[in-house]
Amino acid sequence: MAGLHLIKTYFSDSDEDEYDEKKEDDDKIVNKQTRLTLPESILSLKGVTYEEVTDNPSDHDGRIRSFKHERGNWATLVYIDYTTSDCLCTWMKSVANNLPVQGEIISSLHISLSRTLVLKFHWIESFVEGLKLLCRGFHQFIVQLTDVKVYCNEERTRTFLGIYCQNEDGTLKRLTEAIDCLLAEYQLPPFYKDISYHISFFWCLGDKQMYLQKILPSLTCSLNKFLAENVEDAYVHVKEIQCKIGNKCYSFELK
């Protein structure tokens, strides 16, 4: 009731006869009253103002966001996690040290099964559950590493070197198609039409495809020689699928 007293002033019904005489005086008093500041608890009901996030490429080695950061939108990727052996890691570093362009070795390796997507916050729970059920319908499978290829992102702001991956029994392709169907339920874009499954291990700024294409044959020859001597590194046994939403990672086991 104290709150109501701050908002309105009531006249007593028994004072109706004196109303006309006191109206002028009452108006003067009301006009002199200082307006009360609304409590923060009431002001907050009007909505919340969020600070806009401004992207600064210098904060992450010059990389530029593919899409604007917006509150409630979560960057999402479906992928196969890959842990390299020490020997293969050494090979990757030796390749990077002898390239005609300046760049960085990628520390967290994976095989992408989707584009980088924008997932709404209220979709996350159902999307994760749908992906979990989807993965239960697929058996574990083998992926083979073959040759070295060069890739560039859609914005042409970064170039990558990757090890091409192939799957003989078609499970990888069917899995990707099933994920695309799930994405369609949320009106999200499917994976690329001409899919080239790969493990990116090196990146550099800008479109440097022209410089790297020339040395791909020698890089592939070097990789094939390494894999012939380290056969265990030529194959990846895929037992689970990962999904990263924001900073949170989910893992889904295959049959």
Side-chain angles (χ1 to χ4, degrees):
M1 297 301 292
L4 293 176
H5 180 70
L6 297 176
I7 299 173
K8 293 184 179 180
T9 301
Y10 290 93
F11 294 104
S12 171
D13 291 336
S14 62
D15 292 335
E16 288 181 0
D17 294 338
E18 301 177 9
Y19 175 76
D20 291 335
E21 297 177 10
K22 293 184 177 181
K23 183 176 185 301
E24 184 176 351
D25 292 335
D26 289 341
D27 287 343
K28 291 178 180 179
I29 293 173
V30 170
N31 289 334
K32 290 181 181 179
Q33 289 179 343
T34 303
R35 287 180 177 273
L36 296 175
T37 302
L38 285 174
E40 290 296 328
S41 59
I42 295 178
L43 286 173
S44 64
L45 296 176
K46 295 181 179 180
V48 182
T49 301
Y50 297 109
E51 181 181 356
E52 184 177 353
V53 177
T54 302
D55 180 53
N56 186 356
S58 63
D59 292 338
H60 29 80
D61 302 320
R63 288 173 290 181
I64 300 173
R65 280 184 177 275
S66 298
F67 49 84
K68 183 181 178 181
H69 180 282
E70 293 184 14
R71 188 171 293 275
N73 288 350
W74 296 81
T76 301
L77 180 69
V78 184
Y79 61 98
I80 298 169
D81 193 29
Y82 176 69
T83 302
T84 182
S85 67
D86 291 339
C87 291
L88 185 53
C89 185
T90 300
W91 178 86
M92 292 175 177
K93 290 179 180 178
S94 68
V95 167
N97 291 335
N98 293 284
L99 292 175
V101 296
Q102 295 294 318
E104 300 288 338
I105 283 287
I106 299 173
S107 57
S108 181
L109 304 180
H110 65 273
I111 304 171
S112 295
L113 300 180
S114 77
R115 303 170 187 246
T116 299
L117 307 163
V118 180
L119 198 64
K120 300 291 185 182
F121 175 77
H122 57 279
W123 292 346
I124 293 177
E125 186 176 353
S126 62
F127 181 80
V128 169
E129 186 61 27
L131 197 54
K132 182 193 298 183
L133 293 174
L134 183 156
C135 290
R136 288 177 181 172
F138 285 86
H139 290 280
Q140 299 178 16
F141 58 95
I142 301 293
V143 168
Q144 183 180 2
L145 309 187
T146 57
D147 48 356
V148 180
K149 292 193 175 185
V150 61
Y151 302 90
C152 199
N153 64 356
E154 291 181 283
E155 297 78 20
R156 323 303 290 183
T157 57
R158 286 201 290 164
T159 305
F160 303 84
L161 278 180
I163 301 176
Y164 180 72
C165 306
Q166 63 182 25
N167 167 239
E168 294 294 340
D169 66 6
T171 303
L172 185 56
K173 185 175 184 296
R174 292 194 299 274
L175 177 62
T176 306
E177 290 172 347
I179 293 172
D180 282 348
C181 289
L182 176 63
L183 295 176
E185 296 179 18
Y186 297 86
Q187 297 183 328
L188 293 173
F191 205 22
Y192 302 104
K193 185 176 181 180
D194 298 321
I195 302 175
S196 179
Y197 299 104
H198 63 278
I199 301 170
S200 292
F201 65 89
F202 171 87
W203 72 272
C204 61
L205 290 174
D207 185 350
K208 300 297 194 318
Q209 284 184 292
M210 182 179 68
Y211 300 98
L212 297 175
Q213 285 282 4
K214 299 176 182 179
I215 61 171
L216 286 184
S218 62
L219 294 181
T220 294
C221 181
S222 174
L223 175 64
N224 290 339
K225 181 180 178 181
F226 170 83
L227 295 177
E229 297 171 354
N230 301 270
V231 180
E232 66 279 4
D233 287 320
Y235 300 92
V236 181
H237 189 180
V238 182
K239 299 179 180 180
E240 59 185 18
I241 302 302
Q242 282 72 35
C243 177
K244 186 174 183 181
I245 304 176
N247 291 323
K248 188 168 183 179
C249 295
Y250 302 84
S251 293
F252 309 102
E253 292 185 358
L254 303 177
K255 290 194 293 186

